[in-house]
């Protein structure tokens, strides 16, 4: 994440007593090892693993005795990493009173300067996204702890807590956490403003500075959709197959006859989901949300939500999903907008190998009406 610093908002050209550190919060990954087989056969006749090729070994050989690819060691990300659409961007904002407690008195006597107190420290954050012309103000957490109100006192609200400042002793830190859902690709700018009151024995002043942090958000999942009209012959064959697979009595033969007489239209919605990120992801759910006012219904031809065999996509792998959409003959015909029938949106959720959640929603999908 590149860093750009704005000039201080106060006219005082002196070093600030409070510094700002911004660190991205991300989960670690498991360390991988690359076992190498020894060319010298063992007495049993099988190849032995060279101990020097294992990433982790204990003295007793119990922790990781097998040459398995993954080890019990967690690897922290060495840098900012990549930000992807659908994920939640999290970072911690730390306002530090830089003078350590043990050096505060020494530094005060050496420089013959007045002792300073840092009061009312506040941190605010804003996010500028590519598709928005305005800056979005972000909510910071956790809220500072406040004593429980006495009897008869009102409980302070969240807005009051968010506006309150914090006094910092030398060497102490004010820490805030910000979360932002990434919904579009492109250049994002995180703006952080720190303000505080610097007081001495005889005077005081309010000081403010602002820093900008820029990062690029990439696409994590490419969704390609295709809608086709289901021919009448295929619709009848599908209905016959459904009847053969039906174990119980028919639901309502009269309704099916009415739908066939009205000529209800049917479509097949296909979608290809390509993992274009650098992480392995497991598809948690792929759901079609129809328009509330549209008299449509659909059948899901994909895996069950409760199934344990959910698709796992490695980088550059593709998963195909399919939905059968049809008109509800008992309702009014589907409204057409600009020669198109709108179905709804496709919601996709996934998890990475370390459990990070991701969510993506497409635009409104539909089909052109043949004239």
């Amino acid at each position: 994440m590149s860093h750009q610093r704005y000039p201080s908002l106060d006219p005082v050209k002196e070093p600030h007593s409070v510094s700002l550190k911004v660190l991205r919060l991300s989960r670690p990954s498991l360390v991988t090892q690359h076992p190498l087989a020894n060319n010298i056969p063992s007495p049993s006749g099988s190849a032995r693993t060279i101990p020097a090729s294992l990433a982790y070994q204990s003295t007793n050989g119990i922790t990781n005795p097998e040459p398995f690819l993954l080890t019990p060691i967690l690897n922290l990300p060495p840098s900012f990493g990549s930000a992807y659409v659908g994920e939640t961007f999290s970072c911690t904002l730390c306002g530090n009173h830089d003078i350590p407690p043990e050096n505060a008195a020494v530094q005060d006597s050496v420089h013959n300067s007045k002792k300073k107190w840092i009061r009312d420290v506040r941190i605010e954050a804003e996010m500028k996204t590519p598709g928005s012309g305005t800056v979005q103000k972000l909510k910071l957490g956790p809220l500072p702890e406040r004593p429980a109100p006495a009897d008869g006192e009102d409980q302070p609200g969240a807005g009051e807590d968010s506006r309150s400042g914090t006094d910092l002793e030398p060497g102490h830190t004010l820490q805030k956490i910000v979360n932002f859902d990434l919904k579009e690709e492109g250049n994002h700018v995180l703006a952080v403003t720190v303000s505080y009151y610097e007081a001495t024995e005889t005077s005081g002043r309010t000081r403010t500075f602002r820093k900008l942090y820029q990062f690029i958000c990439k696409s994590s999942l490419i969704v390609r959709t295709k809608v086709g009209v289901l021919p009448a012959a295929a619709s009848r064959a599908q209905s016959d197959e459904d009847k053969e697979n039906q174990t119980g009595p028919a639901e309502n033969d009269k309704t099916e006859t009415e739908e066939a007489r009205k000529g209800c239209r049917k479509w097949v919605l296909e979608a290809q989901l390509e993992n274009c990120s650098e992480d392995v992801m497991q598809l948690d759910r792929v759901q079609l949300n129809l328009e509330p006012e549209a008299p449509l219904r659909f059948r899901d031809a994909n895996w069950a939500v409760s199934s344990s065999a959910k698709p796992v996509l490695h980088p550059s792998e593709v998963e195909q999903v399919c939905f059968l959409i049809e008109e509800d003959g008992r309702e009014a015909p589907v409204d057409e907008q600009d020669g198109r029938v709108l179905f709804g949106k496709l919601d996709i959720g996934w998890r990475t190998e370390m459990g990070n959640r991701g969510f993506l929603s497409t635009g409104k999908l539909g089909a052109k009406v043949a004239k």
Side-chain angles (χ1 to χ4, degrees), residues 327-361:
E327 289 181 313
D328 192 345
R330 291 167 292 181
E331 302 289 343
V334 182
D335 295 333
E336 300 176 4
Q337 300 181 9
D338 299 330
R340 288 173 54 88
V341 175
L342 297 182
F343 300 147
K345 297 182 179 181
L346 195 63
D347 295 337
I348 307 167
W350 68 87
R351 284 179 178 268
T352 63
E353 56 185 353
M354 297 306 294
N356 294 327
R357 288 184 176 273
F359 179 80
L360 184 64
S361 181

Side-chain angles (χ1 to χ4, degrees), residues 57-69:
Q57 272 197 327
S58 59
T59 55
N60 53 14
I62 298 178
T63 305
N64 191 32
E66 300 295 334
F68 188 64
L69 182 63

Side-chain angles (χ1 to χ4, degrees), residues 34-71:
H34 304 280
L36 300 178
N38 194 347
N39 295 329
I40 303 176
S42 62
S44 60
S46 59
R48 295 178 299 176
T49 302
I50 301 177
S53 66
L54 298 181
Y56 179 80
Q57 272 197 327
S58 59
T59 55
N60 53 14
I62 298 178
T63 305
N64 191 32
E66 300 295 334
F68 188 64
L69 182 63
L70 299 178
T71 73

Side-chain angles (χ1 to χ4, degrees), residues 54-118:
L54 298 181
Y56 179 80
Q57 272 197 327
S58 59
T59 55
N60 53 14
I62 298 178
T63 305
N64 191 32
E66 300 295 334
F68 188 64
L69 182 63
L70 299 178
T71 73
I73 300 179
L74 293 179
N75 185 27
L76 296 177
S79 59
F80 174 81
S82 300
Y84 294 103
V85 176
E87 299 180 348
T88 300
F89 174 79
S90 302
C91 62
T92 176
L93 314 177
C94 300
N96 308 311
H97 190 178
D98 292 330
I99 305 176
E102 60 272 15
N103 298 334
V106 177
Q107 189 177 31
D108 183 68
S109 61
V110 171
H111 296 281
N112 296 322
S113 60
K114 297 180 181 180
K115 188 175 181 180
K116 300 177 181 179
W117 290 270
I118 304 302

Side-chain angles (χ1 to χ4, degrees), residues 10 21 69 87 141 162 165 189 228 230 239 250 310 312 340 345 370:
D10 59 326
K21 297 294 183 182
L69 182 63
E87 299 180 348
S162 61
V189 179
L230 190 64
S239 301
K310 297 178 181 179
V312 176
R340 288 173 54 88
K345 297 182 179 181

Side-chain angles (χ1 to χ4, degrees), residues 37-38 69 96 201 225 275 322 325-326 340 353 364 366 370:
N38 194 347
L69 182 63
N96 308 311
E201 296 178 353
T225 59
N275 180 10
C322 180
I325 306 172
E326 57 186 346
R340 288 173 54 88
E353 56 185 353
K364 291 185 178 181

